[in-house]
Amino acid sequence: MSMGTAERREAPADTTAGERGPGYRPLWTEEPARRRRMPDPVRTAAVRAVLVVAVTLILAMVAFLCTLAESWLAFPMVLASVAGTVVATWGVLDVWVTRQVWNQRHGVVSVPSSTARAMRRERRRARRQARDAERGQERIGRRGGAGQLSHPRAAG
């Protein structure tokens, strides 16, 4: 017997893996992404370019159909689709330029001997040394005595 919509709504949503029945099979399994997500500015430019290209293709199709129908709207549509092609070319170039600029600013280079990677490694090393020095100073301050040895010699 299958579960109706009302029964599904009433079912508790936060059941843990131990409470699920023996025949339970998840609808999907989470897999790690094969590639990293695009940076926000690049993704924004790509979405904009896809929308402009889609509108341009629609304009071209309408222009073609108007031409076949010998409509007066054919000429304005052809002009609009030519303008759309120019804007779509700009949009695709915008994606490419935005991606290049982002890579240049954030040092993402796919070459193993990347200077950006070496710089990051150097910065990490400097931060680690600064942290270790700070911890050393905290230990000295907690110990109490100002430069006092841990085993003072007996006077005598």
Side-chain angles (χ1 to χ4, degrees):
M1 187 165 120
S2 67
M3 207 186 230
T5 308
E7 292 163 334
R8 259 187 267 131
R9 283 189 188 136
E10 292 172 9
D14 54 15
T15 57
T16 58
E19 295 174 8
R20 292 184 179 134
Y24 173 77
R25 268 188 19 211
L27 292 175
W28 65 85
T29 55
E30 294 289 332
E31 293 180 10
R34 292 186 182 153
R35 289 194 303 168
R36 282 191 173 159
R37 185 172 148 159
M38 274 193 290
D40 285 342
V42 178
R43 196 167 60 250
T44 303
V47 168
R48 188 171 43 236
V50 165
L51 290 174
V52 168
V53 168
V55 168
T56 302
L57 287 172
I58 291 170
L59 284 173
M61 181 58 75
V62 170
F64 176 71
L65 293 174
C66 286
T67 304
L68 288 180
E70 297 178 2
S71 169
W72 64 271
L73 206 55
F75 184 66
M77 282 292 135
V78 168
L79 290 180
S81 60
V82 168
T85 304
V86 171
V87 174
T89 305
W90 167 83
V92 172
L93 284 175
D94 181 44
V95 173
W96 182 69
V97 169
T98 305
R99 186 170 162 267
Q100 295 297 328
V101 167
W102 196 92
N103 285 342
Q104 192 172 17
R105 283 188 185 154
H106 295 86
V108 178
V109 183
S110 60
V111 182
S113 60
S114 162
T115 55
R117 187 173 293 142
M119 285 169 48
R120 278 199 307 267
R121 197 178 298 128
E122 204 49 48
R123 270 184 269 152
R124 250 186 264 125
R125 189 177 298 134
R127 264 189 262 134
R128 199 177 305 125
Q129 287 174 349
R131 232 183 297 127
D132 291 345
E134 193 176 305
R135 282 187 189 137
Q137 291 298 325
E138 286 176 10
R139 277 193 213 116
I140 291 171
R142 267 187 276 142
R143 217 180 273 157
Q148 182 177 337
L149 294 174
S150 58
H151 298 293
R153 283 196 305 201

